[in-house]
Amino acid sequence: MAEKSKTLENMTEEELNARHTDKMKKKKAARDKIIATKTREKGLVMVHTGKGKGKSTAAFGVVFRALGNGMKVGVVQFVKGKWQTGERVILEKLGDQVTMTAMGDGFTWETQDRQRDIDAARAAWERAKEMIMDDEHDLVLCDELNIVLRYDYLPVEEIVETLRNKPEMKHVIITGRNAKDELIDFADLVTDMTMVKHPFRDGVKAQVGIEF
């Protein structure tokens, strides 16, 4: 009877290392085979939504990655126009490589003026639409656009139609919780941030360098 295979607990370090190397080689071969089939390039529509923290943070991570690769980026903040966020401070120092526009006047419960919110959302979207449709910017971030769509300050059909007709290689990121189904269906990539714990629920206020 053939000797039974050794369990991991009974293997020497050399045997464990050899086993790991063989396993990783097989995984790499399988991964390379999959990657070889992915030959298409296109501008992506990305949606970051969900109740968890990190939607805008992840989007700005992509922005900085794009900037590091020499791409030109446009950013429109729909509802944080009055916030002096850390992202704005850094991006505004990068000169012509980034177009930073903060046109939102805040949430409804701050302005308490629905028409003012609608007008601000429209102005922000018109600026975002210019950058989405131009030949200058490679990536456009519409930060918190989902918020104004949630309150029906802008028709989601108009946003989807613009995205459908954008330049082929233009990347667009849209953030904010409660993304509309129409936008989710159209997007190439959708990430739903799930909240497990949040310090705000324990009485901890938003803090510099973490939330803004």
Side-chain angles (χ1 to χ4, degrees), residues 88-156:
R88 283 178 59 187
V89 172
I90 295 298
L91 291 172
E92 287 171 353
K93 294 179 179 180
L94 296 180
D96 293 340
Q97 195 180 352
V98 60
T99 305
M100 187 76 183
T101 307
M103 300 179 69
D105 283 328
F107 294 100
T108 301
W109 52 88
E110 291 176 342
T111 66
Q112 299 174 2
D113 187 333
R114 178 175 177 273
Q115 189 57 52
R116 181 181 175 185
D117 286 345
I118 291 173
D119 292 343
R122 170 54 63 182
W125 170 242
E126 291 302 324
R127 183 68 184 105
K129 185 161 59 173
E130 288 176 5
M131 291 191 287
I132 291 171
M133 300 305 294
D134 68 23
D135 295 323
E136 181 181 359
H137 295 85
D138 302 296
L139 168 70
V140 178
L141 167 58
C142 299
D143 190 36
E144 304 288 10
L145 173 56
N146 286 334
I147 299 297
V148 300
L149 292 178
R150 175 188 181 187
Y151 289 106
D152 296 319
Y153 292 165
L154 295 169
V156 66

Side-chain angles (χ1 to χ4, degrees), residues 6-19:
K6 287 186 176 181
T7 63
L8 294 177
E9 292 80 4
N10 295 327
M11 287 184 177
T12 66
E13 282 297 312
E14 288 184 358
E15 289 172 331
L16 287 170
N17 289 339
R19 180 180 183 276

Side-chain angles (χ1 to χ4, degrees), residues 57-202:
T57 304
F60 278 107
V62 178
V63 164
F64 286 112
R65 178 179 291 163
L67 291 170
N69 280 284
M71 299 167 70
K72 181 155 186 179
V73 176
V75 178
V76 176
Q77 292 184 288
F78 279 78
V79 296
K80 293 180 178 176
K82 293 183 178 179
W83 291 22
Q84 187 62 18
T85 63
E87 297 96 333
R88 283 178 59 187
V89 172
I90 295 298
L91 291 172
E92 287 171 353
K93 294 179 179 180
L94 296 180
D96 293 340
Q97 195 180 352
V98 60
T99 305
M100 187 76 183
T101 307
M103 300 179 69
D105 283 328
F107 294 100
T108 301
W109 52 88
E110 291 176 342
T111 66
Q112 299 174 2
D113 187 333
R114 178 175 177 273
Q115 189 57 52
R116 181 181 175 185
D117 286 345
I118 291 173
D119 292 343
R122 170 54 63 182
W125 170 242
E126 291 302 324
R127 183 68 184 105
K129 185 161 59 173
E130 288 176 5
M131 291 191 287
I132 291 171
M133 300 305 294
D134 68 23
D135 295 323
E136 181 181 359
H137 295 85
D138 302 296
L139 168 70
V140 178
L141 167 58
C142 299
D143 190 36
E144 304 288 10
L145 173 56
N146 286 334
I147 299 297
V148 300
L149 292 178
R150 175 188 181 187
Y151 289 106
D152 296 319
Y153 292 165
L154 295 169
V156 66
E157 296 83 6
E158 178 181 348
I159 276 70
V160 171
E161 184 64 17
T162 297
L163 296 173
R164 181 176 287 114
N165 292 299
K166 70 177 179 60
E168 184 179 1
M169 294 306 297
K170 183 72 60 81
H171 300 295
V172 180
I173 310 176
I174 297 172
T175 72
R177 62 174 59 193
N178 300 113
K180 293 275 190 176
D181 289 340
E182 296 92 331
L183 187 57
I184 290 174
D185 290 342
F186 181 80
D188 300 289
L189 186 157
V190 179
T191 300
D192 191 323
M193 304 288 188
T194 300
M195 184 179 70
V196 178
K197 293 180 69 176
H198 198 295
F200 185 77
R201 293 195 169 190
D202 294 324

